[in-house]
Amino acid sequence: MAGGEQDWKPGSFTKNFSWGAPANGLLELYESIRIGFDGQMEDVPRDIFRQRVSQSGHSEYIPINFFLFNKNKDGIDYLVADELVFQALNAPHTSSFDKLALFTLNFSYVGKWTGADAAQRRPALWANSYISEKVAGEYKWSTKRVSANDIEGFVSGNPRYKAKSARKLSTNLKYIYEIGHLSDFASKHVERWWVDALFLALDRLIEDRELDGKQTAPGQYGALLEGSSFSRIAGARSLEKDLASKHLVALYTACGGRERFSDEHVRERTELTIPDVQWFAANDNRPQGAVHPSNPRILKMIPRACAMLARYVGFEMIDADELTTFDLQAFIRTHTQQALTRLRDSNVVPTMSVEELMRLTRGK
């Protein structure tokens, strides 16, 4: 679908909805996902999700129409358990989740459900274009220039926008950009939310193609990501991010795409990829962290079953308990010390200490 040619219809985004206190970020969305999926990483019927969430007193329309992915299977509308759901169910609510959710809104791939019109498949293209053209393009991620008036002028001045007013949409969007930490997108460093956003983007792009009966071969994942709006809306672009993308696409591919959430599929994939490996069931089913030694900022939470596949493509693993307290500098120090030890064991005398090497890599 040529997203740039699609009409912009704000739909329920112009309604009054409560996201709670600004300090809570997108906690309302986080809790709605946890309630709607009932803590299970499995696709859930859209009607059941709505029932669970509405009974809890949380918002239902904004999550299912703008943040989650919809698909019809055997005549039943489902909400897909993808990376956004994985993060909500397996990690505490932090600003990292908020930024991932904000990226999801701006990326704007939510699939199809019974009764939805064509414009609802990508319902926030007005946000996608605003970020791509104004914030990333014209403002170079200087988010101080983002305001409700600026959003309103951009949206209402575009012939694709099909609504009488853009004011409510603009004030709602500006508020979500504020509580979702859009200002942090200006960083050129690889960050946890950005790593998750890359996986989320691939989940959505592949699922969206499947709605049209198109299959995506693993070898196409990199080109599919590059051809999307990912790099334009996922914050300031940099060489560090471009290099990280290659490692992350390899990790996504190795783990089996969205099938990474199926232990059975991952087990079969592991036995095919690493024939000599001995599979064993872990006592601790919590996700682990996969970190790439070339850049420890490339840290991805993955299902525990994917650990051996992650190692196969060059990642190292950290335990679940370390995910929330991961110390980047300590990791670098340990690996630097190990590298120096290997040199000494090989009768090569290093000319720098650990401290000198760390100062050099930090640009000091």
Side-chain angles (χ1 to χ4, degrees), residues 113-330:
W113 62 95
T114 303
D117 64 32
Q120 288 177 286
R121 183 166 170 176
R122 299 200 64 190
L125 278 177
W126 29 269
N128 185 288
S129 294
Y130 178 72
I131 294 296
S132 296
E133 298 174 27
K134 296 284 281 189
V135 180
E138 184 178 340
Y139 300 159
K140 308 301 181 187
W141 288 102
S142 176
T143 56
K144 292 181 179 179
R145 301 176 67 176
V146 174
S147 68
N149 288 340
D150 191 59
I151 295 170
E152 183 178 16
F154 175 82
V155 172
S156 60
N158 195 300
R160 287 172 286 180
Y161 187 69
K162 306 298 181 182
K164 293 181 179 179
S165 172
R167 187 61 190 173
K168 190 63 177 178
L169 173 144
S170 302
T171 56
N172 282 346
L173 187 60
K174 172 58 172 68
Y175 183 66
I176 288 180
Y177 281 171
E178 180 180 346
I179 65 175
H181 310 282
L182 181 67
S183 59
D184 290 350
F185 282 46
S187 172
K188 291 188 176 182
H189 284 303
V190 171
E191 297 179 352
R192 291 280 295 275
W193 74 267
W194 181 88
V195 170
D196 298 334
L198 186 147
F199 269 53
L200 186 281
L202 283 171
D203 282 347
R204 297 287 172 98
L205 289 167
I206 294 167
E207 288 285 347
D208 187 73
R209 283 171 57 82
E210 287 185 0
L211 294 177
D212 296 327
K214 299 176 182 178
Q215 298 300 310
T216 308
Q220 298 176 295
Y221 291 168
L224 183 64
L225 185 71
E226 185 63 28
S228 75
S229 61
F230 173 77
S231 63
R232 297 194 301 276
I233 68 168
R237 192 164 185 172
S238 66
L239 178 60
E240 180 184 348
K241 289 180 179 179
D242 289 346
L243 293 174
S245 294
K246 299 181 186 301
H247 295 305
L248 289 167
V249 170
L251 178 63
Y252 183 89
T253 303
C255 291
R258 200 168 75 85
E259 294 291 349
R260 67 191 179 278
F261 302 124
S262 166
D263 284 356
E264 180 179 355
H265 175 87
V266 171
R267 176 175 180 172
E268 294 175 356
R269 188 175 187 84
T270 302
E271 291 173 346
L272 286 172
T273 305
I274 319 171
D276 297 330
V277 74
Q278 182 177 358
W279 182 270
F280 62 92
N283 294 325
D284 185 351
N285 289 322
R286 291 179 299 168
Q288 288 183 292
V291 59
H292 202 276
S294 70
N295 181 358
R297 289 192 180 92
I298 308 173
L299 173 58
K300 181 74 191 79
M301 182 173 75
I302 59 174
R304 181 169 290 267
C306 297
M308 285 179 279
L309 292 170
R311 290 191 181 98
Y312 185 74
V313 291
F315 281 75
E316 298 181 17
M317 304 309 299
I318 61 174
D319 289 332
D321 291 332
E322 296 181 72
L323 272 170
T324 55
T325 59
F326 181 71
D327 188 328
L328 177 66
Q329 293 304 317

Side-chain angles (χ1 to χ4, degrees), residues 64-85:
I64 63 178
N65 291 344
F66 290 93
F67 288 93
L68 296 169
F69 195 90
N70 299 256
K71 68 187 301 184
N72 188 284
K73 295 186 293 186
D74 300 323
I76 300 174
D77 293 323
Y78 284 86
L79 292 166
V80 170
D82 61 9
E83 183 65 30
L84 182 65
V85 178

